[in-house]
Amino acid sequence: MSSTQRITALGWLLTCCPLLTPARGASFQITTFSSTGQIAWTNAFPSGVCTIEAASQVKGSNGAASWVPFQNYYTTNSAGTGRFPLWPGNHFFRLRAVNISSNAPQAYTNLVQSYGLLHTIAGNGDAGYSQPGKDVTNYWQPSFEGGYATNAALSRPHFAMADNASNVFIVDKDSDAVLKVTTDGRIHTVAGTHAIGNGPDTSTLATNVAMNTPNGLWVRGDGTVYVLDTGNNKVRRLDTNGMMTTLFTDSKGIHGGRGLWVKNDESLVYYASGSDLRRWTRGGGTLTLNQQFNDLGTFVISGSNIIATDRGDNTVWLVATNNGIRSLLFGNGGTNLVMDGTLAATNSLYGVRGVWQPPIGGYFLATDYGAQLLYVDITGVIHVFVNGQNDDHAGDGHWFYSPNNYYLGQLRSVSMDNQGNLIIVENDLGYVRRIDFQRLSP
């Protein structure tokens, strides 16, 4: 289904040529389109993907339209809006939609085809070092500062997350710092001194605040960053002005841990301490919510529940936030690789430690020992999104989906930016990867 409008480089609307196809019993179409690239539509699939495509002419030399995919949007309602940069010159633009609800034909295929190229955005695999990927080893060099992120050696990072401006923040555990990859591909230290220490709790320039094994991260859309400073038993806040303060200190101690989630108003925090899932509130302090995990990984909030991974038990759990009771969601505890297209509850999730929930529901899972990026749809059927093994690292510049090739190695985490791109941290050699949320063909 599609709807087409044509504009100039300045955004003047020249023609309006709707190409309508039934969706949910009505016509899917563009309702408004502005000179600034703001677009709105109606009658989209409530669980789907809309794609803006552009063409310099409606028919190419072979008589067919020369449409180029431009930008994707997840759709969760009939009506929606988006914004995209306009191309120079006169172009036609159309909006197309695919259904990825679980009962739609080819739903998973539609999701796969909505994603595009695989890239490395940070990390060089500790190139040039005699013992690359060694734990408790700081590979950071001052020469990396401000250079291209793919030329920098990372030090066992476990999590990366983006703000709404598409800057990617990396908590670089063994260099005791938070790094920022800007949209030009360059890397900058934004918190920490790259040396173990316990910096001030009061507002201080973040690059003067020493940390000790920071291993969890949460990023607000505006670029405010929260850091799980495990060795100092603290959750710290990095403000957008570059200053860092301590949000709270856990007097019980934070014994390792990777997971962190902070409510926007900072009234509620969930975090990991070893295998304990803990909660902090401004009025009530810290509370252990659940102590039943073997090796607690990362987690996400889904409604009034927490979805948490357990690498030690190869399982994924739902934890009720009101009482801490957990219920098994996925995984049979085994150590085999996933069987694509079967139920996630009956599969082995070997070393699962990363989880993220896309807007349309379901979950992306990242397995460490299994080295697979997985997708579980809302009916509980699991699919292998990207295959991998050991410390493999391949596939840059290729379409991510290649079931017979190993592109990833020992995944640490998965997250998603506000544009739908997937951000993956993989293997001991320290790479951060991105899968573009942009289809390669109309």
Side-chain angles (χ1 to χ4, degrees), residues 16 60 130-131 133 191 204 261 307 385:
C16 177
S130 59
Q131 293 182 302
T204 306
W261 179 89
I307 310 301
F385 211 63

Side-chain angles (χ1 to χ4, degrees), residues 214-402:
N215 205 24
L217 187 80
W218 187 257
V219 181
R220 283 200 329 223
D222 66 357
T224 302
V225 178
Y226 300 89
V227 185
L228 187 66
D229 186 0
T230 63
N232 292 317
N233 310 316
K234 297 175 180 179
V235 171
R236 300 183 187 265
R237 179 183 64 235
L238 169 61
D239 291 316
T240 56
N241 63 3
M243 305 299 285
M244 178 168 263
T245 55
T246 295
L247 187 61
F248 67 89
T249 301
D250 188 339
S251 60
K252 300 176 183 177
I254 299 177
H255 308 290
R258 310 171 189 92
L260 178 66
W261 179 89
V262 181
K263 192 174 181 180
N264 278 345
D265 65 2
E266 298 181 353
S267 64
L268 175 65
V269 178
Y270 293 105
Y271 62 103
S273 173
S275 291
D276 291 353
L277 178 58
R278 294 182 182 173
R279 178 177 66 206
W280 175 88
T281 57
R282 187 174 288 118
T286 60
L287 170 73
T288 298
L289 193 63
N290 188 286
Q291 294 180 294
Q292 296 174 288
F293 290 90
N294 186 336
D295 186 0
L296 179 60
T298 63
F299 50 79
V300 293
I301 306 299
S302 179
S304 60
N305 299 304
I306 298 171
I307 310 301
T309 60
D310 191 336
R311 181 176 65 160
D313 284 341
N314 310 310
T315 47
V316 179
W317 298 81
L318 182 150
V319 181
T321 56
N322 61 338
N323 57 21
I325 294 175
R326 69 175 194 167
S327 305
L328 182 63
L329 279 183
F330 312 126
N332 62 12
T335 59
N336 296 318
L337 296 180
V338 163
M339 297 294 293
D340 195 287
T342 60
L343 290 176
T346 60
N347 263 275
S348 300
L349 304 176
Y350 192 18
V352 61
R353 70 193 308 184
V355 59
W356 198 265
Q357 187 169 40
I360 43 88
Y363 302 96
F364 285 102
L365 303 177
T367 63
D368 183 349
Y369 308 126
Q372 292 177 309
L373 180 63
L374 309 167
Y375 174 70
V376 183
D377 69 23
I378 61 173
T379 67
V381 174
I382 195 166
H383 301 275
V384 179
F385 211 63
V386 188
N387 242 330
Q389 65 178 356
N390 301 324
D391 281 336
D392 281 10
H393 176 85
D396 279 347
H398 295 277
W399 188 37
F400 82 96
Y401 191 70
S402 183

